[in-house]
């Protein structure tokens, strides 16, 4: 485990040396990795950092407000409302890799505009060690690695947490004094809720997934999962009131892991599972059933797409 205090001093010195008096920009995702990278860089170079948060419409419940609150101390915080542009770009797209690609491209477009406006010379990224390993092995196109951006000609890329594992990043977050909601936050995939709905991304499916993720995170907090969420995996018949309905199927997933590369499905007690089921079906007219995913990684992945 890295010593957080000395890591912070060394990282700041390295950032200062790399960036000097020039301008840097970071894309904040709401997760702990980019938050730590942003906080470290802000401590190192202050107002020379612009932090851009793009609301893709695929974020967790309340995430945008949370970001605005947490990073209110940064003058350079920019919140971009791009929900409609992302949903528009995703219309009709059903292939999982194509979805990731479309999101990555749209993200680059949004970000490039901001980077040009900020006159940024350096790009800061919250890439951590397991991201690099998965990306090198090409297991899947992580949109936060290697995909940003070629039109803006950055002088360099700054990756202050590139050698850390997730638990080490959390340790650094605590040492930096970031709020618990950031330091203890579960990882969330770059493409957001788009990989938690199977097939085409529609506003309705995203809303169901967002609500399910919120319920699951709340109800499973005491299990301290590495990640826990709900995903929309299809449609099935159900009965609501006196009517048969063809509603969404939500799969609940809760896993333990150290780095996301392998994971174990958690054993959850029946009563808790039933409470989750009852909230998700009760609070959403269009959800017909809830299932629990018992598959480890491998053979499954953590996310659904
Ligand atoms: P999988 O689904 O491959 O996920 O078992 C492993 C870990 O990576 C997260 N994940 C992503 N993170 N961009 C990210 O930054 C992505 O495109 C992406 N896809 C998956 C996932 O949530 C899990 O923690």
């Amino acid at each position: 485990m890295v010593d957080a205090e000395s890591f912070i001093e060394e990282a700041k010195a390295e950032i200062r040396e790399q960036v000097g008096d020039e301008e840097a920009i970071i894309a904040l995702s709401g997760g702990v990795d980019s938050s730590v990278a942003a906080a470290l860089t802000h401590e190192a170079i202050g107002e020379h950092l612009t932090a851009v948060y793009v609301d893709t419409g695929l974020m967790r419940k309340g995430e945008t407000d949370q970001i605005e609150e947490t990073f209110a101390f940064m003058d350079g915080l920019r919140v971009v409302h791009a929900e409609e542009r992302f949903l528009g770009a995703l219309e009709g797209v059903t292939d999982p890799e194509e979805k990731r690609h479309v999101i990555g491209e749209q993200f680059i477009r949004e970000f490039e505009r901001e980077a040009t406006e900020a006159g940024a010379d350096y790009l800061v990224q919250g890439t951590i060690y397991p991201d690099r390993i998965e990306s090198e092995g090409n297991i899947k196109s992580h949109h936060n690695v290697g995909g940003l951006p070629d039109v803006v000609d950055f002088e360099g890329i700054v990756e202050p947490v590139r050698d850390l594992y997730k638990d080490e990043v959390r340790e650094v977050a605590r040492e930096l004094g970031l709020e618990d909601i950031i330091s203890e936050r579960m990882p969330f995939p770059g493409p957001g809720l788009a990989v938690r709905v199977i097939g085409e991304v529609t506003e309705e499916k995203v809303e169901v997934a967002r609500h399910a993720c919120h319920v699951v995170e709340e109800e499973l907090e005491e299990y301290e999962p590495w990640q826990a969420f709900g995903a929309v995996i299809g449609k099935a018949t159900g009965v609501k009131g006196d009517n048969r309905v063809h509603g969404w199927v939500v799969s609940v997933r809760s896993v333990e892991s150290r780095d996301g590369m392998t994971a174990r499905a958690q054993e959850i007690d029946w009563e808790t599972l039933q409470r989750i089921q009852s909230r998700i079906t009760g609070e959403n007219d269009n959800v017909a059933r809830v299932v629990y995913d018992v598959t480890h990684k491998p053979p499954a992945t953590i996310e659904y797409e």
Side-chain angles (χ1 to χ4, degrees):
M1 185 70 95
V2 70
D3 173 56
E5 208 181 325
S6 50
F7 172 82
I8 290 170
E9 286 320 307
E10 282 162 26
K12 278 161 47 180
E14 196 185 308
I15 295 166
R16 268 187 224 112
E17 188 177 325
Q18 197 180 350
V19 179
D21 288 332
E22 300 197 87
E23 298 297 315
I25 190 165
I26 184 167
L28 276 177
S29 70
V32 63
D33 307 343
S34 63
S35 295
V36 166
L40 278 171
T41 310
H42 179 77
E43 285 201 7
I45 62 167
E47 77 245 26
H48 290 290
L49 176 70
T50 299
V52 178
Y53 170 82
V54 179
D55 188 340
T56 59
L58 303 166
M59 320 305 289
R60 282 172 281 197
K61 186 166 183 247
E63 189 134 41
T64 304
D65 294 342
Q66 182 60 47
I67 286 282
E68 281 183 317
E69 222 178 285
T70 306
F71 291 97
F73 66 90
M74 271 188 200
D75 290 339
L77 177 66
R78 298 259 313 132
V79 175
V80 181
H81 287 281
E83 298 94 319
E84 284 178 13
R85 292 193 287 279
F86 275 85
L87 268 185
L90 284 165
E91 220 177 292
V93 181
T94 52
D95 178 74
E97 281 301 309
E98 177 69 13
K99 271 158 77 169
R100 284 172 179 275
H101 184 73
V102 167
I103 293 167
E105 287 279 304
Q106 186 63 36
F107 194 87
I108 288 169
R109 232 168 278 147
E110 303 288 341
F111 192 73
E112 272 171 359
R113 195 189 51 236
E114 298 298 319
T116 308
E117 211 162 282
D121 310 292
Y122 284 87
L123 174 67
V124 185
Q125 291 195 288
T127 318
I128 66 171
Y129 186 66
D131 296 339
R132 291 198 286 140
I133 298 304
E134 287 220 344
S135 216
E136 274 160 24
N138 205 15
I139 291 174
K140 143 171 74 192
S141 54
H142 272 213
H143 95 244
N144 57 346
V145 182
L148 275 178
D150 1 282
V151 175
V152 181
D153 216 358
F154 290 109
E155 269 175 51
I157 311 273
V158 184
E159 293 181 316
V161 292
R162 64 183 175 274
D163 295 326
L164 303 189
Y165 277 98
K166 195 67 134 197
D167 46 358
E168 296 174 320
V169 181
R170 292 192 198 285
E171 193 56 43
V172 174
R174 289 180 208 116
E175 185 69 29
L176 282 166
L178 288 173
E179 292 166 54
D180 281 7
I181 190 142
I182 299 282
S183 65
E184 310 313 314
R185 188 145 225 189
M186 289 172 196
F188 188 64
L193 297 172
V195 292
R196 294 182 179 174
V197 306
I198 289 183
E200 188 181 3
V201 180
T202 63
E203 208 169 341
E204 185 186 350
K205 280 155 91 176
V206 169
E207 274 315 316
V208 171
R210 184 167 11 246
H211 174 262
C213 287
H214 172 67
V215 169
V216 172
E217 271 195 43
E218 237 176 46
E219 296 291 342
L220 295 184
E221 203 181 339
E222 68 190 75
Y223 284 84
E224 298 182 353
W226 157 269
Q227 271 173 301
F229 58 87
V232 175
I233 59 168
K235 280 202 139 182
T237 303
V239 195
K240 294 254 174 154
D242 294 331
N243 299 320
R244 281 166 75 84
V245 294
H246 194 50
W248 298 112
V249 179
V250 169
S251 175
V252 173
R253 186 143 174 73
S254 186
V255 297
E256 287 162 10
S257 178
R258 177 173 188 226
D259 51 22
M261 286 154 86
T262 61
R264 289 192 68 77
Q266 281 190 311
E267 215 170 291
I268 308 292
D269 76 88
W270 184 248
E271 209 177 297
T272 308
L273 286 173
Q274 280 302 329
R275 202 166 49 240
I276 291 172
Q277 176 278 121
S278 137
R279 279 188 65 187
I280 294 176
T281 54
E283 293 167 21
N284 282 295
D285 283 343
N286 51 0
V287 176
R289 70 187 69 201
V290 173
V291 299
Y292 186 64
D293 189 336
V294 297
T295 327
H296 306 311
K297 174 184 181 177
T301 51
I302 295 175
E303 305 292 343
Y304 279 80
E305 288 205 331

